[in-house]
Amino acid sequence: MSQSHQQASLPGCPSCEEPLESGDRFCGACGYDLSAVPPPPTVTVTVPAQGVGAPVAAGQVEWPHASGTDSSDLPAPTHRPADLPGVDSGGKPLPLADGAAVRFDGPDAQAAPAPGGPGGSSGDFELAAPDPRAAEHTTAGGSVAGAKVCVACRSGHVDTDGYCENCGHAQPRERDHMEQELDSVAAVSDRGLRHHRNEDAFAVSSTALPDGSPAVVAIVCDGVSSASRPDEASAAAASAANESLLESLPRGTHPQQAMHEAIVAASEAVNSLAQEQGQALEHDQHRHQNAPACTVVGAVMAGGLLVVGWVGDSRVYWVPEDRAHPPARLTEDDSWAAQMVAAGLMNEAEAYADERAHAITGWLGADAYELEPHTASFEPDRSGLVVVCTDGLWNYAEGAAEMAAAVPADAFARPLHGAQVLVGHALDGGGHDNVTVALLPFAAAEPGAGSA
């Protein structure tokens, strides 16, 4: 893959994906005539400086200006529109309408890696055992009390190594299906029906801001299957990002700055896994070719703000509690197709019809040449549900309207049940990938509440 700082303004050759240099008229690898390619559009976004001159309502946190910026050096904006339009940390508008095509993640699919890095976040589909959730963990007649019984043959005992003594079948691991509910946030992760292990991970938590008001955190990570130890990468990233937020938010760090720092911490945690393997750190062509890697996406609700951050193709959706209002997708994928469309090299139909459409162009890992976190901040004017998920879910509900339709009506009041239903939606659709989703109900302040 080309370096992250080149992707937005100078993508690779549209014919062979060879990285381009400024001023190139022809591709040095295949000779493609670049003069026929329209130049990428220029996006100019003017945003107000955050918090400057704005009155602070009683009971709200008076955050300092979010001095930290992303790689674009733009200030971190807060938006107050009716339906949550916004810009990411690079100043690029976030789409509200359905736009991206569904990623093909069938068992026979081969990820199409871009130059120099991993392919999509799913690529090694393996037919696995019958779904362990369909088997009851009960002991057969005459078995020793408390002994585990095989989920496949339902009769053999499971040895200390996790295999059936009767049929030899490997038993489901604890990480194959995980659920957690904490205060007003809940998450569910499942291995799916095709993968041999769960390479997703999540972390949910809550803390208090300096004024005592709550802050709720959800982090979701998707291991890159074509990389080594993707399950360890996602677990390390989710844990590091969560710990970073729990350390910075109580100090009064602005949530958008805290999210940026959390993604950096997650990246460092994943990078350290490659160093543990003794891989060299030199910047050569083949450095960390198979280093552990994952995507990351997170959401923080604090002080009336909703802050999202991401690297990769995991997503955040907004589903209003009042379904009469439109839902929205709040993130934009780091993917080959999104890059081609943004650069004006292809229209959406052409880009998403290409077999490389869902190869990721941003990830955490030692072979990611440059880390470029995306963050966006919103101030919703109505209550709604924040859906944080991997592509194992959105492959079966890609558009914002489709995702909203899959979310049960009572998910705002019962987030764990809602997350369970969404995971079931993906499994019913085929379960071709690991599935992870976290739900955060956002309760908007009543008009006039908290004012002086």
Side-chain angles (χ1 to χ4, degrees), residues 56-62 209 211-214 303-304 449-452:
V56 179
Q60 293 187 352
V61 180
E62 187 174 2
L209 300 177
D211 67 347
S213 62
S451 59

Side-chain angles (χ1 to χ4, degrees), residues 2 10-21 24 27-30 34 115:
S2 57
L10 192 63
C13 171
S15 175
C16 70
E17 299 185 64
E18 179 72 13
L20 303 177
E21 299 294 337
D24 283 353
C27 176
C30 68
L34 300 175

Side-chain angles (χ1 to χ4, degrees), residues 352-424:
Y352 288 110
D354 194 286
E355 63 180 4
R356 299 165 291 183
H358 292 279
I360 58 173
T361 57
W363 66 95
L364 306 183
D367 58 354
Y369 287 88
E370 184 174 337
L371 176 65
E372 190 169 0
H374 310 288
T375 62
S377 178
F378 305 92
E379 187 166 2
D381 65 345
R382 58 181 63 108
S383 297
L385 192 70
V386 182
V387 181
V388 185
C389 66
T390 62
D391 61 345
L393 172 59
W394 66 254
N395 275 328
Y396 301 100
E398 192 279 330
E402 293 176 284
M403 183 62 72
V407 173
D410 62 351
F412 186 87
R414 302 172 62 199
L416 178 58
H417 171 71
Q420 293 167 337
V421 170
L422 288 173
V423 168

